[in-house]
Amino acid sequence: MILTGAGQIGMAIARRMGAGMKIVIGDKCPENAEAIAGTMARAGFDTVAVEMDLASRESILSLIDASRQYGQIAMLVNAAGVSPSQASVETILRVDLYGTAVLLEEVGKVICDGGVGVTVSSQSGHRLPALDAETDRLLACMPPDDLLSLEILQPGNIRDSLHAYQLAKRCNVKRVMAEAVKWGRRGARINSISPGIIVTPLALDEFNGPRGDFYRDMFAKSPAGRPGTADEVANVAELLMSTRGAFVTGSDFLVDGGATAAYFYGD
């Protein structure tokens, strides 16, 4: 298993699905990768930490090469990314949009027969107004190295870091659809999960950032009335990555306690 992003959601999914596997944990911050690897190792998992920058194709390829030393790649859990309060527009596009596209493409070239992956997107992609069909097609299918040249992603067309994040997450969902076709030729599946507000260190940064009141109000007005937990996201990932999800690929699953429903149709 390749796990990118040494955070709570990725670890929760890896704990559900990674028993008996070598789990290669990649993160831009080596200390974070080592911390998650250590936590999982003390719980009986076979882990190794690797430094990996999702914004770099070279770094992604290095992670894949390191992983293949242990055998065939059977699972991908991509939980790497940055949030609107953590990063600039440029960084969000390089990491969340371009980097995810490259990772899905490169892992898709080597995933084994019967392999499966999930990538963590966001409810934010569901709040973006509909794009035209040609833009959706380009976000889904354009070679990753050309993605950032799209007109819609130019600085003059992006309002702020939240807008960039929404565009990146919409792109993630479209890339999963396109990649599912390619992965399917290898007998593999790929899906995305779009969490709402999940209590993680990244979410706490948002709560304490400039949009903190907005996020607190969001989950307070949602049908669930609360933020979620990483294990609740892992519940969905477990279904998608197990044989019970064998007929599911190229799909996105909104796991947000109804916050998006309330955004469009609530009071």
Side-chain angles (χ1 to χ4, degrees):
M1 175 190 284
I2 293 176
L3 166 60
T4 58
Q8 296 300 311
I9 292 177
M11 181 172 65
I13 297 172
R15 288 174 69 105
R16 296 291 180 91
M17 302 304 303
M21 306 183 76
K22 172 68 77 171
I23 305 172
V24 180
I25 302 171
D27 195 277
K28 187 174 183 180
C29 178
E31 293 79 10
N32 289 347
E34 292 284 358
I36 295 296
T39 296
M40 293 189 68
R42 288 188 290 274
F45 293 90
D46 185 4
T47 61
V48 60
V50 176
E51 184 175 356
M52 188 277 309
D53 181 1
L54 189 62
S56 164
R57 182 183 290 272
E58 181 181 2
S59 183
I60 289 169
L61 289 172
S62 178
L63 172 70
I64 291 171
D65 287 343
S67 302
R68 296 181 77 186
Q69 295 177 19
Y70 301 103
Q72 291 186 316
I73 296 174
M75 290 187 178
L76 168 68
V77 177
N78 176 36
V82 292
S83 77
S85 293
Q86 291 177 322
S88 65
V89 167
E90 180 182 5
T91 299
I92 288 169
L93 295 181
R94 289 288 304 177
V95 175
D96 291 357
L97 191 148
Y98 166 78
T100 298
V102 172
L103 180 68
L104 299 186
E105 176 186 68
E106 294 295 347
V107 173
K109 294 176 181 178
V110 298
I111 191 78
C112 73
D113 184 18
V116 64
V118 293
T119 186
V120 178
S121 185
S122 169
Q123 66 173 357
S124 287
H126 290 263
R127 295 181 177 229
L128 189 71
L131 304 175
D132 63 85
E134 178 61 11
T135 299
D136 277 344
R137 187 189 69 80
L138 292 171
L139 288 174
C141 302
M142 177 176 276
D145 288 335
D146 297 332
L147 268 172
L148 296 182
S149 67
L150 280 174
E151 181 63 26
I152 195 175
L153 301 179
Q154 300 314 299
N157 295 322
I158 297 180
R159 296 185 298 274
D160 52 26
S161 61
L162 178 59
H163 186 206
Y165 188 73
Q166 291 174 329
L167 286 164
K169 296 307 180 179
R170 176 66 60 83
C171 182
N172 292 170
V173 170
K174 295 301 178 181
R175 296 306 289 198
V176 162
M177 294 179 72
E179 284 295 333
V181 179
K182 300 175 184 177
W183 283 47
R185 298 183 188 123
R186 299 182 62 87
R189 300 183 295 110
I190 177 73
N191 292 290
S192 61
I193 298 174
S194 290
I197 299 173
I198 307 298
V199 179
T200 65
L202 184 150
L204 293 175
D205 282 347
E206 291 295 330
F207 293 159
N208 296 318
R211 282 179 288 272
D213 290 341
F214 169 79
Y215 285 110
R216 282 186 286 270
D217 186 61
M218 184 193 304
F219 69 71
K221 289 183 176 178
S222 72
R226 62 172 177 84
T229 67
D231 285 287
E232 289 175 305
V233 178
N235 289 339
V236 177
E238 183 177 15
L239 167 63
L240 296 176
M241 299 185 77
S242 72
T243 55
R244 289 179 296 162
F247 197 55
V248 185
T249 191
S251 298
D252 179 68
F253 291 80
L254 189 59
V255 184
D256 70 345
T260 301
Y263 174 80
F264 284 108
Y265 307 117
D267 295 335

